[in-house]
Amino acid sequence: MDLVYVSERKIYGRLGMRPPATQSGVQASVKVPPLIEVSGNRTWEEPADPMAPHVLVEKAKRTIERRFAPVPFTTRNLQANQWISFDLDMAQVAVHEDSGRPPEDVALFVGQVVAETRGQPRDLEFMLCGSVQHLRTQVCAEGRMGSDTTWLHDLILEVERREENGLNVVPEFLNELMPYRRSEALIEEAAFGVQGWIGRKYPPSTRGRLRGHAIVLMDVDRPRGPSRLVLATPLYVEAVHEPEPRPGRRIAFPGIRRRTNTS
């Protein structure tokens, strides 16, 4: 399997695993030509013999299954902080804040389960969101996240900041994380909007199969709504390559290229 995204910080913090080196604040800037430039703080030094990312992920998988009993992302009535597993075709992009400028600093993964499949009575939208610093591949930079989505951009980075400082619990109500609070209804509408435009730009025929484990941020399941939305923050995402694609189906990962620097 090819690792697409790995949050070592989240794995260590959420699973109680100790990083292989003492923590240290180190400024870093990583350029991933030609699409993304990533700048930020690293929270531990690289050890002389670091644990390979795929080894860390395999260890994390065993720990998650043994200690947390993750449920499929399609499970009804998910709660904030609940562990979920996912395996579906998804598109991925990098974006920046609506009124800001590049570089893109947020990574988004979008997928859908259509009604009457996997036991879903109506369409289920699924969106993973995290920092581009955890990407192990290059992705398509899509520019602005969209109008009225500043809260979502800031929320994603705030979750990352909290985890960097050892705060690994997400409040039940996401607006408690932000210095400016908005109603839950407006928050949900913005999330649906971002998921919608990515889904339209990258239809199912252009997506690739991804799987992994994540932590639920919110489960928007309005009784009268046309679809349900699950928003989550991933621990890791890996690409699954099918040996023999079904007729008429193209396996593709838009904009993805392997990156040799996994720091």
Side-chain angles (χ1 to χ4, degrees):
M1 304 301 171
D2 293 332
L3 289 176
V4 176
Y5 180 102
V6 181
S7 175
E8 296 176 358
R9 182 183 304 133
K10 188 181 275 83
I11 289 176
Y12 288 129
R14 287 277 183 170
L15 303 184
M17 297 166 56
R18 295 177 63 86
T22 56
Q23 291 190 348
S24 175
V26 179
Q27 290 287 336
S29 179
V30 180
K31 288 189 176 181
V32 188
L35 301 179
I36 302 173
E37 178 179 325
V38 181
S39 298
N41 294 318
R42 297 186 61 83
T43 54
W44 58 79
E45 296 176 341
E46 291 292 345
D49 186 19
M51 184 182 298
H54 70 277
V55 174
L56 177 63
V57 167
E58 290 303 317
K59 184 175 181 180
K61 289 179 185 179
R62 295 191 294 270
T63 302
I64 293 169
E65 294 294 337
R66 183 178 69 251
R67 293 176 52 193
F68 299 105
V71 299
F73 75 97
T74 54
T75 303
R76 300 292 297 275
N77 301 316
L78 295 170
Q79 303 298 313
N81 292 295
Q82 190 166 358
W83 291 81
I84 57 174
S85 60
F86 59 91
D87 186 338
L88 75 163
D89 290 347
M90 303 187 78
Q92 64 165 302
V93 300
V95 294
H96 61 76
E97 193 267 331
D98 181 56
S99 60
R101 295 181 178 180
E104 281 66 25
D105 52 4
V106 166
L108 300 175
F109 300 84
V110 167
Q112 181 188 57
V113 176
V114 299
E116 308 304 328
T117 62
R118 301 200 194 187
Q120 300 303 304
R122 54 203 173 104
D123 289 351
L124 168 60
E125 313 294 344
F126 184 54
M127 184 162 69
L128 299 171
C129 48
S131 169
V132 296
Q133 294 190 57
H134 305 316
L135 288 169
R136 291 318 197 246
T137 58
Q138 293 183 19
V139 301
C140 292
E142 289 295 344
R144 298 186 307 112
M145 183 177 282
S147 300
D148 298 322
T149 58
T150 296
W151 80 268
L152 181 58
H153 171 273
D154 293 350
L155 170 71
I156 295 167
L157 297 186
E158 176 63 14
V159 170
E160 295 288 334
R161 186 195 68 79
R162 285 166 59 90
E163 290 172 347
E164 182 176 352
N165 293 327
L167 299 175
N168 297 297
V169 176
V170 178
E172 179 181 359
F173 299 104
L174 295 181
N175 56 14
E176 295 179 8
L177 291 178
M178 309 308 297
Y180 49 92
R181 297 189 179 187
R182 303 190 69 181
S183 71
E184 288 294 313
L186 292 177
I187 289 175
E188 294 168 358
E189 289 298 331
F192 269 111
V194 172
Q195 193 281 337
W197 74 258
I198 297 175
R200 290 189 295 273
K201 185 160 187 176
Y202 294 98
S205 62
T206 67
R207 303 175 189 178
R209 182 181 166 194
L210 302 177
R211 70 182 180 190
H213 285 95
I215 299 291
V216 174
L217 294 177
M218 66 178 180
D219 181 354
V220 185
D221 194 5
R222 300 171 182 171
R224 297 183 180 179
S227 61
R228 172 188 171 203
L229 171 65
V230 172
L231 189 71
T233 178
L235 276 75
Y236 69 91
V237 180
E238 59 184 7
V240 182
H241 301 290
E242 297 178 340
E244 295 183 3
R246 294 189 295 271
R249 180 171 180 241
R250 179 164 60 94
I251 303 299
F253 295 86
I256 298 179
R257 299 174 184 171
R258 293 301 303 276
R259 192 177 81 184
T260 57
N261 184 355
T262 60
S263 60

